[in-house]
Amino acid sequence: MKKSGWVIFNTFIFAVACYIIVQYFIMDGTQAGLVQMKLLFLDKLSPLWYMMLFIHITTSLVSLIIGPFTLSKTFREKNLKRHRQFGKVYMVGILFGGLSGLYLAFYATGGLIAKLGFGFLALLWLQSAYKALRMIRQRNISAHQYWMIRNYSLTFAAVTLRLWLPLFMVLFGLENFEVSYAIIAWLAWVPNLIVGELIIKYTKHQETNIEANLYPRSLKS
């Protein structure tokens, strides 16, 4: 990723992280926009739901912030020990964030389509983290990096969700919130995953070109 793209990418992460911290940890989290939207369609929310929400918000936020450091090649090469430490914290965040997210998916506003959207997000989030962890234990560095790209593209749904929400509210209004949220339940992560796959494809292409330059065909033969 070019430096300008990396700056924009991290700016979005920083902005959303600050928004979440203010909404859920500085102000009264029960007054956060997501909670208030749900209360428009439900009389009340259970204490277990609130507990799962705050587990999900806290652990997912940790992974969202740590993720760019684990993906950065420069940071990894200069701070390998810290990269590994951050990676462990990131994985713990995904574990608790994914499991709590799966629970919350069953109560998602927007009907079955929204429940399936957020449910698949949670399952793929956990599965891709497991794959990344398995690859690094097998010392398959490239495969580990590719799975981490896929995983963080799903983590980044925390950002894209909050970009799509206000846009849909402006375009379709609060009266169509349930329909909008059902669409956003998929739109928040499916395009991210596609972009992640394109980045992986580009990375593989670059690595192939480097290898070809280092080992010309005449030498191989």
Side-chain angles (χ1 to χ4, degrees):
M1 186 184 293
K2 292 182 179 179
K3 187 175 181 180
S4 58
W6 189 251
V7 170
I8 294 170
F9 176 72
N10 282 285
T11 299
F12 277 122
I13 294 169
F14 178 76
V16 168
C18 288
Y19 170 80
I20 292 172
I21 290 169
V22 170
Q23 283 265 296
Y24 289 94
F25 302 105
I26 296 177
M27 298 172 63
D28 183 358
T30 60
Q31 300 301 313
L34 172 65
V35 176
Q36 291 304 303
M37 282 294 184
K38 289 195 72 65
L39 289 173
L40 289 175
F41 304 96
L42 296 171
D43 292 331
K44 64 178 182 178
L45 296 165
S46 71
L48 179 59
W49 186 90
Y50 278 112
M51 182 181 75
M52 287 295 186
L53 175 65
F54 277 92
I55 290 173
H56 181 70
I57 291 293
T58 303
T59 54
S60 300
L61 180 62
V62 169
S63 294
L64 179 68
I65 294 171
I66 287 178
F69 294 98
T70 65
L71 292 174
S72 172
K73 182 179 179 181
T74 303
F75 180 84
R76 182 172 64 250
E77 290 176 348
K78 292 182 178 180
N79 305 273
L80 185 57
K81 184 178 180 180
R82 193 163 294 175
H83 167 81
R84 289 170 178 164
Q85 292 171 339
F86 278 16
K88 290 176 183 178
V89 175
Y90 179 88
M91 288 297 178
V92 171
I94 299 300
L95 176 62
F96 285 98
L99 292 175
S100 56
L102 188 60
Y103 169 86
L104 293 170
F106 285 96
Y107 300 91
T109 303
L112 181 61
I113 294 175
K115 290 177 172 64
L116 288 173
F118 287 117
F120 275 112
L121 169 58
L123 289 172
L124 289 172
W125 203 25
L126 291 166
Q127 185 259 358
S128 57
Y130 168 75
K131 286 281 191 179
L133 188 60
R134 185 179 177 186
M135 290 301 102
I136 197 60
R137 285 180 173 175
Q138 293 177 0
R139 307 297 182 188
N140 191 335
I141 305 299
S142 294
H144 168 72
Q145 291 171 352
Y146 299 151
W147 278 108
M148 283 299 295
I149 290 171
R150 293 183 181 106
N151 184 267
Y152 195 76
S153 70
L154 297 173
T155 305
F156 199 71
V159 175
T160 47
L161 173 71
R162 288 164 178 84
L163 295 177
W164 286 116
L165 269 173
L167 179 61
F168 270 69
M169 291 301 97
V170 170
L171 293 176
F172 306 111
L174 184 60
E175 63 274 13
N176 295 308
F177 177 75
E178 285 193 275
V179 175
S180 295
Y181 204 61
I183 297 171
I184 293 169
W186 295 88
L187 200 57
W189 62 273
V190 173
N192 296 14
L193 204 53
I194 293 172
V195 172
E197 290 299 330
L198 291 175
I199 292 171
I200 290 169
K201 184 177 180 180
Y202 174 78
T203 303
K204 287 181 178 179
H205 180 70
Q206 292 293 98
E207 289 173 349
T208 301
N209 287 342
I210 291 171
E211 184 180 347
N213 290 330
L214 289 174
Y215 305 103
R217 185 174 298 178
S218 58
L219 293 178
K220 291 180 180 179
S221 58

